[in-house]
Amino acid sequence: EIVLTQSPATLSLSPGERATLSCTASESVSSNLGWYQHKPGQAPRLLIYDASKRATGIPARFSGSGSGTDFTLTISSLEPEDFAVYYCQQRNDWPLTFGPGTKVEIK
Amino acid sequence: QVQLVESGGGVVQPGGSLRLSCAASGFIFSSYGIHWVRQAPGKGLEWVTIIGYDGRDKYYGDSVKGRFTISRDNSRNTVHLQMSSLRAEDTAIYYCAKERRWREYYFDSWGQGVLVTVSS
């Protein structure tokens, strides 16, 4: 099973600041990685797929990069609605796996 | 627009069974794989299972293999998850999710989730 680790576990930032979230895979997943945003009581939302492609309707302030084992999700300038938990997910091999999540909280 | 609505959750005793359903609308149901993803209380997301667009391809996570069975009825735009030999660690919110594209294995639409509690 491919294990995904995310850092930091919690990121405390203010609106307008830049957020940089990391995801590391236990083995190469090529570019087969996605990012999701999840807010309490809501369904998760796909932000990024194939490491760097924005999903439909996702604002340009969200960007993804990386390949192989190291990936980054960047939120260029945090909006109030961006405070949430973010998960990475690999589709390179079965079983599909998620990282443990990074909580982006208001400082 | 795409809509996925889960049902069938509830409280069940350890060792018991439960059947979840996912009713879909707003897209060509028979063209997409459907997944179940769960979230235990205070934990992260865990992928559970997938069924392919025609019901032939099925994969399961190791934690549910042999206990859970996924099926679909394309005439009713519905997916079912039959859960048996339930354990306390199966307690979670269960989401059904649609693939962005067949065999792409990213989830672009999700239901609101249904709570399953395994407790005596």
Side-chain angles (χ1 to χ4, degrees), chain B residues 16 25 43 56-58 72 77 85 99 101 105 108 116:
Chain B
S25 61
K43 304 293 185 182
R56 287 190 292 183
D57 292 341
K58 302 175 186 179
R72 70 188 293 160
N77 286 9
S85 302
E99 290 190 319
R101 288 184 182 178
Y105 310 133
D108 70 344
V116 172

Side-chain angles (χ1 to χ4, degrees), chain A residues 33 36 38 44 50 89 91, chain B residues 39 104-107 110-111:
Chain A
L33 189 111
Y36 298 82
H38 194 197
D50 288 349
Q89 174 242 324
R91 63 152 188 159
Chain B
Q39 184 177 35
E104 195 182 65
Y105 310 133
Y106 299 115
F107 321 121
W110 300 63

Side-chain angles (χ1 to χ4, degrees), chain B:
Chain B
Q1 74 277 21
V2 173
Q3 193 168 13
L4 298 165
V5 179
E6 303 93 341
S7 61
V11 181
V12 60
Q13 292 189 340
S17 297
L18 206 59
R19 188 195 197 207
L20 304 183
S21 297
C22 172
S25 61
F27 64 102
I28 303 173
F29 181 75
S30 57
S31 295
Y32 291 88
I34 299 293
H35 299 248
W36 288 92
V37 176
R38 67 184 182 183
Q39 184 177 35
K43 304 293 185 182
L45 300 174
E46 179 189 11
W47 175 80
V48 175
T49 181
I50 175 188
I51 187 165
Y53 70 97
D54 60 0
R56 287 190 292 183
D57 292 341
K58 302 175 186 179
Y59 296 96
Y60 298 91
D62 290 342
S63 61
V64 307
K65 203 173 294 183
R67 301 187 298 122
F68 289 14
T69 301
I70 191 170
S71 62
R72 70 188 293 160
D73 183 346
N74 283 349
S75 68
R76 296 176 184 267
N77 286 9
T78 303
V79 169
H80 301 289
L81 182 64
Q82 180 67 46
M83 306 185 294
S84 60
S85 302
L86 283 162
R87 308 165 180 165
E89 53 265 36
D90 295 317
T91 294
I93 297 172
Y94 284 74
Y95 297 96
C96 64
K98 165 192 163 292
E99 290 190 319
R100 203 185 78 90
R101 288 184 182 178
W102 169 225
R103 287 190 175 160
E104 195 182 65
Y105 310 133
Y106 299 115
F107 321 121
D108 70 344
S109 297
W110 300 63
Q112 286 301 307
V114 64
L115 179 61
V116 172
T117 302
V118 183
S119 174
S120 55

Side-chain angles (χ1 to χ4, degrees), chain A residues 13-63:
Chain A
L13 296 168
S14 300
E17 289 193 294
R18 182 183 189 90
T20 303
L21 289 67
S22 295
C23 176
T24 302
S26 59
E27 61 186 84
S28 175
V29 298
S30 186
S31 295
N32 296 314
L33 189 111
W35 289 92
Y36 298 82
Q37 177 192 69
H38 194 197
K39 298 179 182 178
Q42 296 187 20
R45 179 169 71 145
L46 175 66
L47 302 173
I48 301 288
Y49 65 96
D50 288 349
S52 62
K53 299 174 183 176
R54 269 191 302 276
T56 302
I58 301 304
R61 64 180 182 273
F62 292 93
S63 63

